[in-house]
Amino acid sequence: LKNDTFLRAARGEETEHTPVWCMRQAGRYLPEFRETRASQDFFATCRSPKLCCELTLQPLRRFPLDAAIIFSDILVVPQALGMEVVMVPGKGPTFTEPLKEVEDLLKLRQKVDVTAELGYVFQAITLTRHSLEGKVPLIGFSGAPWTLMSYMIEGGGSTTMAKAKSWLYRHPEASHRLLRLLADVIIDYLVGQVAAGAQALQLFESHAGHLGPELFQDFALPYIRDIAQAVKSKLKAEALPLVPMIIFAKDAHYALRDLAHAGYEVVGLDWTIRPQEARSQIGKDVTLQGNLDPCALYAPKEKIGELVKKMLEGFGTQRYIANLGHGLYPDMNPEHVGAFVEAVHAHSRHINK
């Protein structure tokens, strides 16, 4: 590995500069991405190892990023359980038959062979790992159980998650059954990604903000903990590398102390919390990742540099991975993404002197 800065920061080792990558760095803000994707359905693209590899590599040809993240989607897991998801232009991912009643759980595959159902992701990871030629580490990922459950019940995006949350209140046992089923698939899926060549893993609890402390404690945190523990023990049992794991629970400030002790080397942060506050809640033994407001990239380049400098001063340059507080938006200027990456490297090197 020619550049292991990201992995060293994740493990809490000293780094010469602060590593940086961006959520959704392979995405629609790049003209070459739009060109590659033009002729194909979104999920057909996800099922093509060759296209996933190409899309993963595109941002690395433009920017000196310190990590690659495999191009895929969190909703491949509900697909593996037998649900149909289509990408509707202008609307986003849509489930043709969302879960409405508890009885609908019986329609889901109760035992999932992840190699049979998600082998295309593993092939994409192996192909990309070879194509990277040790340039930077490759991150694999999955959605977390609550986030996936909310999509499966809502049938797509939602501003309130009221349908999914109503299950937590009305059908707590069935909710736990579904969350357990998802967690078991996610565990095998993440282990499979490491076997295929992933060098770090990120779990996305993107809809944590829709839960308050109590619901999070009951329906999200136990599975987040369990996934970290089970993945690590399976990796050990299968003599696979123990890769660093990142938990990103968006809008879950109320749970930062719990997440710090959930078994992950890195806790990712959204942009709505001050660096110093996050550091004081999480402590010194866990690496932090984040958390520039993605919309800051609409600012002039000089301003981006100032905001990055302030962020680095807040977090400190060690035990820290720079990122945005959420993914890149489709209308962003690639040059501003480059300015963000370069500012992280330049300012962190300067502070480290």
Side-chain angles (χ1 to χ4, degrees):
L1 196 58
K2 294 164 195 157
N3 173 1
D4 66 348
T5 315
F6 163 81
L7 293 178
R8 280 189 287 130
R11 292 191 294 254
E13 296 164 16
E14 205 172 311
T15 59
E16 299 75 57
H17 68 266
T18 296
V20 55
W21 67 281
C22 299
M23 289 184 269
R24 296 207 187 120
Q25 64 190 23
R28 288 172 295 173
Y29 73 101
L30 289 176
E32 57 269 39
F33 176 96
R34 294 195 292 273
E35 207 175 295
T36 307
R37 280 267 354 268
S39 59
Q40 225 168 2
D41 164 73
F42 178 80
F43 285 108
T45 304
C46 289
R47 285 188 287 273
S48 162
K50 202 170 156 208
L51 285 176
C52 290
C53 173
E54 167 59 21
L55 294 171
T56 303
L57 297 176
Q58 283 176 354
L60 296 164
R61 294 186 191 124
R62 274 188 185 249
F63 316 117
L65 293 152
D66 294 289
I69 183 164
I70 194 67
F71 175 81
S72 185
D73 194 85
I74 63 171
L75 298 181
V76 299
V77 172
Q79 287 176 335
L81 288 165
M83 294 188 82
E84 189 185 13
V85 193
V86 292
M87 194 60 81
V88 178
K91 188 183 173 193
T94 305
F95 286 73
T96 48
E97 287 181 45
L99 304 174
K100 289 192 172 76
E101 305 300 331
V102 169
E103 296 75 54
D104 292 342
L105 295 182
L106 299 171
K107 296 178 188 170
L108 300 174
R109 283 193 187 103
Q110 302 304 306
K111 272 272 171 252
V112 175
D113 176 344
V114 294
T115 308
E117 299 300 330
L118 295 165
Y120 59 87
V121 179
F122 302 154
Q123 289 167 25
I125 287 172
T126 304
L127 180 61
T128 307
R129 177 77 192 270
H130 284 300
S131 305
L132 278 166
E133 296 176 325
K135 191 177 174 184
V136 292
L138 179 61
I139 305 167
F141 70 89
S142 174
W146 155 248
T147 293
L148 296 179
M149 170 184 170
S150 62
Y151 273 116
M152 290 159 79
I153 294 171
E154 297 289 341
S158 159
T159 51
T160 60
M161 295 295 160
K163 288 180 195 166
K165 284 178 74 176
S166 82
W167 271 55
L168 304 181
Y169 286 110
R170 286 166 44 228
H171 312 302
E173 279 178 36
S175 296
H176 279 299
R177 262 205 332 270
L178 175 55
L179 291 162
R180 181 71 264 161
L181 176 63
L182 284 162
D184 290 343
V185 175
I186 290 162
I187 289 160
D188 289 344
Y189 181 42
L190 290 174
V191 171
Q193 290 185 45
V194 176
Q199 290 150 293
L201 297 168
Q202 177 154 312
L203 190 69
F204 284 89
E205 190 68 283
S206 310
H207 296 167
H210 292 280
L211 303 174
E214 281 78 23
L215 288 179
F216 188 84
Q217 198 75 35
D218 289 347
F219 294 101
L221 188 63
Y223 300 98
I224 288 170
R225 280 193 185 126
D226 189 45
I227 287 166
Q229 202 182 342
V231 165
K232 287 175 179 181
S233 65
K234 283 198 171 199
L235 290 175
K236 227 178 224 165
E238 294 178 27
L240 288 163
L242 280 177
V243 303
M245 293 180 73
I246 306 164
I247 176 67
F248 175 65
K250 189 171 177 290
D251 297 323
H253 312 144
Y254 55 80
L256 286 181
R257 287 178 203 279
D258 288 323
L259 290 169
H261 298 105
Y264 293 77
E265 285 70 26
V266 183
V267 172
L269 303 164
D270 60 68
W271 68 92
T272 59
I273 188 159
R274 288 189 175 88
Q276 296 87 336
E277 204 174 307
R279 187 65 85 183
S280 75
Q281 286 195 52
I282 285 172
K284 292 187 169 65
D285 300 331
V286 175
T287 295
L288 295 181
Q289 176 177 282
N291 74 338
L292 191 72
D293 180 353
C295 289
L297 297 194
Y298 294 123
K301 289 183 190 175
E302 304 71 49
K303 180 68 177 167
I304 294 170
E306 287 166 32
L307 293 166
V308 164
K309 183 169 180 275
K310 193 178 171 196
M311 180 172 82
L312 285 162
E313 286 165 354
F315 281 110
T317 58
Q318 301 298 321
R319 260 209 183 278
Y320 173 53
I321 297 161
N323 204 317
L324 302 173
H326 200 236
L328 288 159
Y329 301 145
D331 64 346
M332 285 180 162
N333 182 340
E335 287 185 15
H336 288 221
V337 178
F340 167 64
V341 173
E342 279 154 27
V344 171
H345 287 159
H347 287 298
S348 62
R349 281 198 174 100
H350 183 73
I351 294 168
N352 282 342
K353 275 179 188 164

